[in-house]
Amino acid sequence: MVGVKKKMVTLVSSDGVEFVVEKRVAEQSLFIKNALNEGGVEEKVMIPIPKVTSDTLSSVLEYCEKHASATEFQENEIEEWDKEYIEKADLDLLYYLLQASYSMSIMGLMELGAKKVASLIRGKSPQEIRELFNIKNDFTPEQEEEIRREMQWNYE
Amino acid sequence: MPANLFDYLPIELAELILMKMPITDAFKTSTVSKKWLQAWTSMPKLVFSDSYWLIGIRGRKTSFVEFVDGVLSSHNGPILDFQLTTDVNCHKTLNRWLDVVLTNRITELHLALWRTYDFNVSSRLFSCHQLVQLKLANCTLTLPQNFKGFHKLRSLHLNEVHISSDELKCLLSCCTQLQELALIYLRECAHIDLSNTEVQKLDIRGEYEILNLANQHLINASIHLMSDWRYHELGTILYPHYNISHLELSGDLKVNPTYLRYMVKLEKVIFNFLTHPYESISEIVSNCPRLKKLMVKGLTDISHDLRITSGTLESLEIDCGYSHMSIACPQLIDASIYITPVYHRWNFLQQCPYNINPYDELDLKILEELQKEVELPVTLKHLENLSLDVRFGNVLSEYIVFCFMKVAPALTVLEMKQKFECVAWVAYRYSWQRRVAWSGHRGAGTASWGGIGACCAASAGVSEPTAWLALTTAHLGASEGGGSVGATEGLCAPQPCVWGAAGSATCGGQHFCWALTHLGASGLAAEARVGGSGGAGQPSALGATGVFAARGQQATGWRTPLTWGHPEAAALACCGRTECCALPWQRLGGNRHAASAGGQHCWLAATATQGHAGVLGSVLRQQGSAAPRLQRGGRKLEACTTARRRCFRPIQPCPLPQSRTRRQPRSSRRPLGSSRSPEGRPGVAFRLSFRQRHNPDQPHRYGYQICRSGSGPWAPRSFA
């Protein structure tokens, strides 16, 4: 764009990769928005994003970019995009996206990720869930037996 | 990278995930690991509904009551959002639950009881000062003497709640933050006064004696009043504050045009089931300088004129009867119009009182004169989406369709649908007269999907596999979420053609897909396959998959798909034989992905008239792979660049159906395009077909032809 200088922000992922994005895109994250407001001057700001790797961050920014310009699209267009976006994430990325959206406070992405995980969990038995997400069963056999007894209807 | 990532999920995220699924599923996760158990017991939102409790009841050891008890007793975090829908009618049980839930932390409470009549909501409710949203259904509210109000309450829904006028007044006056209010059938309330509130969004239904709904904040009102003797006057119940921009009216309500003059901020108006406001509609439209959207539904009186003249209107939906309609809205973008089937006026040709003898040449002058029932004085140059309720097989109503085309040069999406009763009637008629049984008459009753009905009608009518092409419905464009047309091959070619059609219904959250069927059908030669499926996994979308096997061996048959949104659905076969065989359910390649691959825009419509031939109008627009997006009127639509343009050739006269005994063996049938005179029977066949003119300035301009055929030679006539 000629004439209009867009305000840019530099985000640094946990592995040191810098991402230069428009401010309005970065502000999809409340965490960054707050950081910017606290910082006051927005010129040449470097914001470190702890715990988010460059791979994840680039995917997160893809989401932010789309949603920063959401008003240009029709509602269902965005929905479709969201669906495709989350569909193509594998389990690992899904986890990292959730984690990142949580630490960066991106509500929409958090909801989206949670919904996706929920859809994976639905209708599965506890054992299947453990296998799917590679979750360790940290109950002792006694505890498990107790829960089993208490919550009988779980094992119908 | 740790392999067991999800062990490290923050507890808040686990809670969030659990809140995204039904509570029974969420519950199952509690034994996955300690973290999930913890998330489960601290989940702040609990939604219980026994409507799904019965599902999967096999082997379930606990009752709904035990389950809720169990969950509530093991829960150890604050409950911020509690929603309960149940027909449990034991007051003791309900109170036990509410005692746990009604704390001063709770922000959202939905309580819908269906089998109790006098459950008095615990007075502890009135000390829950954090409440932001409160929805109650079918219970009794008794305000305590010293009630000070819910100071954070923004949304209040009372549905068949027993509450007196005074108490309601008190409740409304002391909830100062209230913005959204729904009062639905409050039987013990005779008097409702909202003048001192700041409600912005109102939904009121029921029968009330005295109403004063106006306050200066009100911008969105839905008013449905029932009354035996008292007609409320819309103007007076909203007087003197007219800031409303969205207004929905239904039931018995008087609308005096003089008051409407002051409602200058109206942007969206919906009329539904009103008995007599025709003049008011015209008045509203011409008096509202900002009106963008108008819906008129349910008016059954057909003796009135409907005149809609507006320079701002962008969206119009007419679903009612009228004797004369005039639409002069140059800014119109979306329109859905019911082309009224006034039976005595527009009937099938042989019953037509206007002396159109079906055996004579169709006189277009007569048609044009009759068409004045619908007047389109201005060009609708922005009109992109048009949906028409039309009676297929009725030349006059079809003619109106084409008149719409004439004034809408920018039309991108056309949807043709047919009212239930019409379809059934058409189906019945054809099945009777042509003796084409199709999927039983039960089928006729359920033929509420325009496309199928008309297809069947057309197939029944033409009754000849070698030369017919029938498809109603359109709206297969990419502008509709998930709907697009797949591959279209050689529609007019005498080879097998494959259609893929998929689409999601327009009525997203509803149960039925009344609106349209995305069904492709084509049977020019040996075989045509139709594939369609509901888009986007919406339960509302009608998935239709079928096979048109126009082989002369199977008769028309289709079955209603019961599993919405599934790729398996109706199988449809068509042929000239008299018996019917509904094909078994089939799972064809009609899934969404296959169908949406082509990325083409297409619509076509075909109908049959007289049972002799198809009046057939069809347009196929194909979209090139590099379709640019056009922005018009703030909406993005896939525009059709006519990369390849295929117009239908003028289709040759359609042979009349022959009796079974005369049927020629398939091999000896003539290919499409060879004219065959009807054997032994007088008849007329005429078709309307679109032709795209090759005018680079007006690429979307259509001309059309009406051609007559019959015993005489092919006699095309062009006009417009």
Side-chain angles (χ1 to χ4, degrees):
Chain A
M1 283 255 209
V2 189
V4 187
K5 202 180 168 196
K6 286 177 182 165
K7 288 176 181 166
M8 305 303 271
V9 199
T10 307
L11 309 179
V12 188
S13 68
S14 62
D15 47 354
V17 181
E18 291 183 8
F19 290 83
V20 182
V21 292
E22 275 180 59
K23 189 171 168 238
R24 64 183 186 102
V25 172
E27 279 185 345
Q28 291 292 306
S29 149
L30 291 181
F31 168 77
I32 297 175
K33 197 173 183 179
N34 290 340
L36 286 173
N37 287 344
E38 279 165 26
V41 194
E42 64 276 357
E43 291 299 314
K44 290 183 183 170
V45 185
M46 299 269 271
I47 301 173
I49 312 285
K51 288 198 256 176
V52 182
T53 61
S54 54
D55 291 352
T56 315
L57 191 56
S58 76
S59 187
V60 168
L61 290 175
E62 190 191 337
Y63 176 89
C64 291
E65 201 149 326
K66 186 75 182 180
H67 280 253
S69 46
T71 46
E72 292 170 27
F73 304 98
Q74 281 183 12
E75 207 171 282
N76 50 13
E77 210 172 328
I78 277 282
E79 268 172 35
E80 282 287 310
W81 187 89
D82 277 355
K83 207 190 269 171
E84 261 170 46
Y85 171 83
I86 206 71
E87 207 59 50
K88 68 184 182 203
D90 58 11
L91 268 185
D92 281 2
L93 182 59
L94 189 59
Y95 171 79
Y96 288 122
L97 284 178
L98 265 175
Q99 187 70 269
S101 62
Y102 178 62
S103 62
M104 294 170 75
S105 305
I106 307 170
M107 296 311 163
L109 185 55
M110 208 152 85
E111 295 271 320
L112 188 64
K115 218 183 263 176
K116 171 72 184 169
V117 178
S119 74
L120 293 174
I121 289 178
R122 276 187 70 167
K124 292 203 169 60
S125 73
Q127 187 51 37
E128 283 169 331
I129 297 170
R130 274 184 219 126
E131 279 161 19
L132 178 66
F133 296 104
N134 214 344
I135 296 171
K136 209 171 129 232
N137 182 1
D138 50 5
F139 291 115
T140 61
E142 295 81 46
Q143 280 173 323
E144 201 176 343
E145 189 49 43
E146 196 191 322
I147 297 167
R148 219 176 263 259
R149 224 179 313 112
E150 259 179 38
M151 304 177 166
Q152 255 182 2
W153 51 80
N154 201 5
Y155 296 94
E156 58 213 34
Chain B
M1 189 189 291
N4 43 355
L5 282 172
F6 278 82
D7 282 351
Y8 300 92
L9 201 69
I11 192 83
E12 290 83 357
L13 280 177
E15 283 174 7
L16 186 66
I17 291 168
L18 292 186
M19 285 192 269
K20 297 283 171 203
M21 56 182 116
I23 199 156
T24 43
D25 283 305
F27 173 73
K28 278 186 190 164
T29 63
S30 60
T31 46
V32 169
S33 73
K34 283 180 182 166
K35 171 168 286 157
W36 289 93
L37 178 64
Q38 190 192 343
W40 160 253
T41 52
S42 60
M43 195 166 106
K45 176 178 172 181
L46 297 175
V47 181
F48 294 102
S49 169
D50 57 6
S51 56
Y52 62 75
W53 192 254
L54 292 173
I55 299 167
I57 197 163
R58 190 177 41 156
R60 200 185 286 285
K61 287 176 185 147
T62 39
S63 70
F64 179 72
V65 174
E66 280 173 297
F67 178 71
V68 179
D69 275 335
V71 172
L72 290 179
S73 68
S74 65
H75 201 274
N76 56 18
I79 299 169
L80 305 182
D81 185 345
F82 183 77
Q83 306 185 9
L84 175 66
T85 306
T86 180
D87 57 7
V88 168
N89 56 359
C90 167
H91 292 190
K92 211 170 138 192
T93 310
L94 293 169
N95 276 321
R96 187 168 67 232
W97 295 342
L98 287 181
D99 277 350
V100 178
V101 168
L102 294 176
T103 64
N104 57 8
R105 306 275 298 265
I106 189 163
T107 57
E108 211 167 300
L109 177 69
H110 296 194
L111 194 57
L113 311 174
W114 297 118
R115 273 179 51 201
T116 60
Y117 300 101
D118 49 356
F119 177 69
N120 206 334
V121 181
S122 152
S123 61
R124 292 178 59 155
L125 174 71
F126 299 98
S127 53
C128 299
H129 294 297
Q130 300 296 317
L131 272 175
V132 175
Q133 199 181 79
L134 179 61
K135 285 189 185 181
L136 298 174
N138 216 354
C139 50
T140 306
L141 265 190
T142 315
L143 262 60
Q145 288 290 322
N146 55 350
F147 179 56
K148 295 283 192 310
F150 299 117
H151 298 298
K152 294 191 175 173
L153 195 70
R154 297 171 82 88
S155 168
L156 176 66
H157 287 237
L158 301 179
N159 187 347
E160 299 195 38
V161 168
H162 302 264
I163 184 169
S164 70
S165 297
D166 290 342
E167 282 176 317
L168 182 69
K169 192 178 171 191
C170 172
L171 183 65
L172 293 178
S173 65
C174 59
C175 296
T176 48
Q177 296 295 310
L178 206 59
Q179 291 182 350
E180 204 186 312
L181 180 64
L183 303 174
I184 296 160
Y185 299 109
L186 304 183
R187 296 221 164 73
E188 283 158 34
C189 233
H191 179 187
I192 290 177
D193 186 353
L194 302 180
S195 54
N196 294 322
T197 64
E198 296 186 5
V199 172
Q200 293 173 4
K201 190 170 179 224
L202 172 69
D203 182 0
I204 183 164
R205 280 175 252 171
E207 204 175 320
Y208 306 98
E209 261 180 53
I210 306 170
L211 284 173
N212 183 2
L213 305 181
N215 69 64
Q216 54 189 340
H217 303 276
L218 193 64
I219 48 175
N220 187 335
S222 166
I223 302 171
H224 178 101
L225 297 176
M226 308 295 285
S227 171
D228 293 337
W229 53 278
R230 179 186 297 274
Y231 283 98
H232 289 288
E233 161 61 52
L234 177 75
T236 54
I237 60 177
L238 291 175
Y239 184 81
H241 298 295
Y242 297 122
N243 286 326
I244 295 184
S245 68
H246 288 49
L247 183 61
E248 183 173 346
L249 301 174
S250 49
D252 298 326
L253 198 63
K254 250 193 236 163
V255 185
N256 183 342
T258 48
Y259 286 106
L260 294 168
R261 214 162 288 158
Y262 305 107
M263 295 196 188
V264 289
K265 292 188 180 172
L266 279 178
E267 284 178 15
K268 180 178 168 185
V269 179
I270 300 173
F271 286 99
N272 199 355
F273 293 115
L274 291 177
T275 40
H276 46 65
Y278 278 87
E279 299 78 12
S280 339
I281 293 171
S282 305
E283 195 84 12
I284 280 193
V285 174
S286 48
N287 277 320
C288 296
R290 296 190 197 172
L291 194 66
K292 291 226 162 66
K293 187 165 181 176
L294 175 70
M295 285 166 79
V296 186
K297 293 184 194 170
L299 298 158
T300 48
D301 192 348
I302 53 165
S303 60
H304 288 274
D305 281 7
L306 195 56
R307 295 188 167 273
I308 294 166
T309 309
S310 164
T312 52
L313 203 66
E314 289 178 0
S315 174
L316 174 66
E317 188 174 334
I318 305 278
D319 191 5
C320 65
Y322 47 82
S323 67
H324 182 143
M325 179 171 65
S326 161
I327 299 175
C329 309
Q331 297 298 320
L332 209 58
I333 298 172
D334 299 297
S336 171
I337 313 269
Y338 177 52
I339 299 198
T340 173
V342 183
Y343 285 92
H344 66 273
R345 199 163 293 179
W346 293 340
N347 220 320
F348 285 89
L349 280 183
Q350 73 231 59
Q351 295 150 9
C352 181
Y354 287 99
N355 296 325
I356 299 179
N357 187 334
Y359 306 125
D360 284 347
E361 192 172 298
L362 186 62
D363 194 332
L364 296 172
K365 285 264 184 288
I366 296 177
L367 273 183
E368 235 160 6
E369 237 160 63
L370 298 175
Q371 183 264 333
K372 286 195 180 115
E373 304 297 333
V374 173
E375 211 176 280
L376 302 164
V378 299
T379 305
L380 308 172
K381 62 183 175 198
H382 298 293
L383 189 66
E384 289 174 354
N385 301 319
L386 178 63
S387 169
L388 294 164
D389 253 338
V390 63
R391 284 191 70 191
F392 290 105
N394 177 334
V395 175
L396 297 178
S397 73
E398 281 159 7
Y399 184 80
I400 291 171
V401 174
F402 301 122
C403 291
F404 267 99
M405 307 290 158
K406 220 160 51 165
V407 295
L411 200 67
T412 338
V413 177
L414 172 72
E415 178 188 337
M416 305 274 242
K417 53 186 180 179
Q418 198 158 21
K419 276 256 177 285
F420 172 82
E421 70 272 20
C422 301
V423 180
W425 197 78
V426 169
Y428 172 75
R429 181 174 185 274
Y430 279 113
S431 57
W432 180 255
Q433 291 198 347
R434 298 281 132 219
R435 291 196 199 134
V436 175
W438 52 303
S439 171
H441 298 289
R442 191 181 59 83
T446 50
S448 50
W449 304 284
I452 297 178
C455 277
C456 288
S459 62
V462 176
S463 199
E464 177 62 56
T466 50
W468 77 267
L469 157 64
L471 170 64
T472 91
T473 181
H475 219 168
L476 305 170
S479 62
E480 196 58 45
S484 55
V485 179
T488 311
E489 285 292 329
L491 270 176
C492 291
Q495 337 151 340
C497 49
V498 180
W499 265 85
S504 69
T506 41
C507 43
Q510 293 173 17
H511 299 300
F512 299 102
C513 171
W514 283 97
L516 64 154
T517 310
H518 298 286
L519 234 194
S522 171
L524 286 176
E527 189 179 314
R529 267 206 297 163
V530 184
S533 88
Q538 291 286 344
S540 59
L542 170 65
T545 309
V547 173
F548 266 79
R551 289 207 178 92
Q553 279 145 26
Q554 290 153 313
T556 312
W558 63 276
R559 290 186 59 175
T560 313
L562 295 173
T563 45
W564 305 94
H566 282 254
E568 65 263 63
L572 196 56
C574 142
C575 168
R577 288 229 181 170
T578 48
E579 68 275 273
C580 145
C581 73
L583 287 187
W585 296 68
Q586 297 202 29
R587 185 184 273 271
L588 293 174
N591 72 45
R592 192 176 144 252
H593 300 292
S596 58
Q600 292 166 336
H601 244 315
C602 141
W603 50 266
L604 76 156
T607 63
T609 302
Q610 271 295 95
H612 295 156
V615 168
L616 185 149
S618 48
V619 164
L620 172 65
R621 290 191 202 171
Q622 296 196 347
Q623 201 177 16
S625 52
R629 286 187 161 159
L630 287 189
Q631 196 145 15
R632 190 184 289 128
R635 305 188 55 171
K636 241 174 198 171
L637 285 171
E638 296 283 335
C640 294
T641 50
T642 342
R644 273 188 301 154
R645 187 177 295 161
R646 181 181 286 139
C647 310
F648 287 126
R649 318 162 198 161
I651 297 174
Q652 294 298 313
C654 184
L656 284 169
Q658 298 172 349
S659 70
R660 213 162 157 185
T661 48
R662 282 205 195 139
R663 183 169 298 283
Q664 299 169 18
R666 196 169 157 235
S667 55
S668 68
R669 271 190 219 140
R670 299 184 199 193
L672 176 73
S674 67
S675 180
R676 227 175 358 167
S677 66
E679 291 168 40
R681 275 200 249 177
V684 61
F686 42 89
R687 291 196 163 99
L688 300 177
S689 68
F690 285 100
R691 280 188 131 182
Q692 231 157 0
R693 282 187 189 159
H694 297 281
N695 182 350
D697 298 332
Q698 294 171 303
H700 297 299
R701 193 67 151 160
Y702 302 112
Y704 50 91
Q705 279 192 330
I706 284 197
C707 307
R708 170 190 172 268
S709 77
S711 50
W714 183 244
R717 270 177 168 250
S718 293
F719 61 99

